[in-house]
Amino acid sequence: PMAFILDQPLRLSINGIQVVSIVILGIFHAGIVYMLYNLLIKSEGALLASFSNYIVPVVGVLLGYLILKEMLLIKHFIGICI
């Protein structure tokens, strides 16, 4: 509710390319990931699938460091260890 009051997101003007990009990200990519997650649960079980959710942030931080040359701080290492 505060975002609607402070940022007023409904006043944004978006063009057709942005709408198509949002639809593609929302439908196709999310659908594919959801389908793969269900296949993982079916083939390997819910325990392994739940563990895979803990790996996603670690991979994201490492990819940011390797590809985007982002800085790694001590808090990142602490988060990875936790």
Side-chain angles (χ1 to χ4, degrees):
M2 293 302 293
F4 278 99
I5 294 169
L6 299 175
D7 293 335
Q8 300 175 351
L10 300 178
R11 291 190 182 177
L12 295 175
S13 61
I14 56 176
N15 61 25
I17 294 173
Q18 292 169 333
V19 171
V20 170
S21 298
I22 291 170
V23 169
I24 289 171
L25 284 172
I27 294 174
F28 296 111
H29 294 111
I32 290 170
V33 169
Y34 188 69
M35 180 188 68
L36 290 173
Y37 186 68
N38 283 326
L39 289 173
L40 179 63
I41 290 173
K42 184 178 179 180
S43 66
E44 299 298 328
L47 184 64
L48 179 71
S50 66
F51 282 144
S52 70
N53 287 333
Y54 294 117
I55 296 172
V56 172
V58 175
V59 171
V61 168
L62 293 177
L63 287 177
Y65 173 73
L66 295 173
I67 295 174
L68 300 176
K69 306 297 183 208
E70 293 180 350
M71 291 178 47
L72 281 179
L73 304 174
I74 189 69
K75 64 182 178 182
H76 297 130
F77 290 112
I78 293 171
I80 289 172
C81 290
I82 290 175

